[in-house]
């Protein structure tokens, strides 16, 4: 069982999606922490200098799913 899990699903315009990715990219670029606006609240994540990443693209039933995953240790 995980220590924490948060999942949010929503519909965004292309511009809104780009804004979220840009905010995350800036946090990654400058280090320290990332603040993610999650509607009623904000989630702050401390991001280390080294990350593991996985990119997955799946095409199925007329839909494209793009997953970009970042992982790092909490210690």
């Amino acid at each position: 069982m995980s220590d924490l899990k948060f999942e949010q699903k929503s519909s965004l315009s292309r511009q809104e999606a780009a804004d979220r990715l840009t905010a995350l990219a800036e946090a990654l670029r400058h280090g320290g922490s990332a603040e993610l606006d999650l509607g009623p609240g904000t989630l702050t994540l401390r991001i280390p200098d080294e990350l593991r990443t996985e990119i997955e693209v799946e095409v199925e039933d007329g839909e494209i799913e793009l997953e970009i995953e970042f992982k790092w240790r909490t210690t």
Side-chain angles (χ1 to χ4, degrees), residues 21-33 47-49 51:
L21 289 172
T22 298
L24 181 57
E26 285 299 311
L28 288 168
R29 182 173 288 113
H30 298 292
S33 63
I47 300 175
D49 290 335
L51 309 168

Side-chain angles (χ1 to χ4, degrees), residues 10-21:
S10 61
S11 293
L12 302 173
S13 69
R14 189 174 60 225
Q15 182 64 47
E16 290 168 326
D19 290 345
R20 285 193 181 181
L21 289 172

Side-chain angles (χ1 to χ4, degrees), residues 6-12 20 38:
F6 177 84
E7 186 173 318
Q8 181 183 56
K9 294 181 181 186
S10 61
S11 293
L12 302 173
R20 285 193 181 181
L38 302 173

Side-chain angles (χ1 to χ4, degrees), residues 2 4 13 16 18-19 21 24 29 31 33 36 39 41 44 49 57 66 69 71-73:
S2 68
L4 171 70
S13 69
E16 290 168 326
D19 290 345
L21 289 172
L24 181 57
R29 182 173 288 113
S33 63
L36 306 175
T44 302
D49 290 335
V57 177
L66 169 64
E69 183 175 284
K71 291 184 182 183
W72 62 88
R73 294 223 169 266

